Amino acid sequence: MTTSETITADAAGTWKLGDLPVHRIGLGAMRLTGSAAFHLGTPSDRDRSIAVLRRAVELGVNHLDTAAFYFSALRSANELVNTALAPYPDDLVIVTKVGPHRTYTGEWGTPARPDELRGHVEENLRQLGRDHLDVVNLRRMSQDSIAEHFGALAELREAGLIRHLGVSNVEPRHLAEAWAIAPVVCVQNRYALDAPRSPATDDLLRICGDLGIAFVPYYAVAGEGGEHGATGAHDEEVRAVARAHGVSPVQVRIAWTLHQGPHVLAIPGTGDPDHLADNVAAGALRLTDEERARLGGTRDRVR
């Protein structure tokens, strides 16, 4: 494998979010704000986070995942994105999400009602300095049906504030609800090599492939670490594959994610420029059928 610094995001291939082509390896902005997500760690070095964003674009990353509720005590992911990248490159696709709400203290507030989603969209527009959002994901919280919430976003799409819509943290029935209201271009669900198998999410992965919808796992690298950051606990099978390729276990996890289907995108987050280059380089890692089977066995053992 060539060095990380010479590999760009196009090595992972491309997919389309609606009519917007993106490289299958992108960047999640959550970790740009601190050592852990939200208010759980210490705020990041602002200049370093800005440097990560600019380096990502230099490496060909054109799919950026962010949200207004990605903030720490001193940092806002959207503000960092705006400062680092505006005026935005023509091919950059910024994906955000709405639904969850955090108060000014950083604590989680009551999720948005359908009539409050316009305010969430406008907050992202203001922070990003844009007049429309490329893709907005409705993040399902605890509601049994997402029809009313998704319908409110579909109205904002018709009004020109949103170009494309997606859903997050859903089951197949929720995707069906949304699909009946307006086109869905992506599904974001928790999905990782070491995550317990979820029949609903496995079904979603297949359904998205059948419908041509992007499946975008979150915490694919963080694993059980979740919002606290990348896990350091890698199964021996992961380490063995990493040694065979001369790469890190994290790169194997990203490559495994991309190997789940041509419609699967990866959005690993980091605030470290070196980790960024390694993450992008994972898009060039090709796993053999035997290696994929070994790693699949690892997942089968997770309960």
Side-chain angles (χ1 to χ4, degrees):
M1 191 172 181
T2 53
T3 64
S4 294
E5 293 297 327
T6 65
I7 298 173
T8 54
D10 60 335
T14 60
W15 191 258
K16 282 188 175 182
L17 298 175
D19 62 345
L20 302 173
V22 294
H23 295 137
R24 292 178 61 221
I25 187 87
L27 174 66
M30 180 187 288
R31 294 299 307 280
L32 294 172
T33 65
S35 60
F38 313 127
H39 59 297
L40 300 175
T42 57
S44 62
D45 179 89
R46 189 168 182 274
D47 289 341
R48 190 185 195 204
S49 294
I50 289 172
V52 167
L53 285 161
R54 290 175 176 166
R55 181 60 178 150
V57 170
E58 290 173 357
L59 289 172
V61 171
N62 60 1
H63 173 203
L64 183 61
D65 181 82
T66 186
F69 56 85
Y70 287 176
F71 65 86
S72 65
L74 299 178
R75 306 282 175 257
S76 155
N78 281 353
E79 185 274 331
L80 290 167
V81 170
N82 190 341
T83 299
L85 302 179
Y88 298 107
D90 291 340
D91 68 338
L92 180 64
V93 176
I94 299 179
V95 179
T96 188
K97 61 189 70 63
V98 296
H101 167 67
R102 292 175 65 207
T103 67
Y104 70 91
T105 64
E107 299 304 315
W108 291 104
T110 304
R113 300 188 309 268
D115 64 312
E116 294 175 322
L117 289 175
R118 184 183 183 107
H120 283 218
V121 168
E122 290 176 346
E123 182 180 24
N124 280 280
L125 288 169
R126 286 192 300 271
Q127 292 177 353
L128 292 167
R130 307 196 70 174
D131 57 10
H132 78 278
L133 299 173
D134 295 326
V135 182
V136 173
N137 285 311
L138 172 65
R139 176 63 182 264
R140 185 181 75 92
M141 302 303 286
S142 58
Q143 62 265 44
D144 183 61
S145 169
I146 65 169
E148 192 174 357
H149 286 77
F150 194 81
L153 290 182
E155 292 178 3
L156 298 179
R157 175 177 172 269
E158 290 297 320
L161 296 183
I162 301 170
R163 187 160 179 174
H164 296 296
L165 296 172
V167 290
S168 176
N169 193 34
V170 295
E171 299 175 7
R173 62 190 177 91
H174 301 120
L175 174 58
E177 276 188 317
W179 189 261
I181 296 169
V184 177
V185 303
C186 57
V187 172
Q188 279 193 7
N189 266 34
R190 187 165 189 165
Y191 188 78
L193 179 57
D194 61 355
R197 282 192 178 277
S198 164
T201 296
D202 287 344
D203 283 347
L204 271 173
L205 176 65
R206 175 187 54 77
I207 293 168
C208 285
D210 292 342
L211 295 176
I213 298 172
F215 184 81
V216 190
Y218 62 86
Y219 295 155
V221 171
E224 294 182 357
E227 57 200 23
H228 292 276
T231 181
H234 301 288
D235 189 275
E236 178 52 35
E237 297 293 344
V238 176
R239 295 182 182 278
V241 173
R243 287 193 297 269
H245 288 271
V247 299
S248 70
V250 166
Q251 288 174 299
V252 171
R253 292 168 69 92
I254 295 171
W256 177 87
T257 301
L258 293 172
H259 277 68
Q260 300 312 297
H263 65 298
V264 178
L265 312 183
I267 49 170
T270 182
D272 185 313
D274 292 334
H275 291 169
L276 168 71
D278 288 344
N279 291 347
V280 171
L285 178 58
R286 302 293 182 257
L287 303 175
T288 67
D289 290 343
E290 179 184 0
E291 288 168 339
R292 292 172 63 184
R294 291 175 67 184
L295 295 171
T298 294
R299 188 163 184 256
D300 288 338
R301 292 194 294 273
V302 176
R303 294 290 183 269

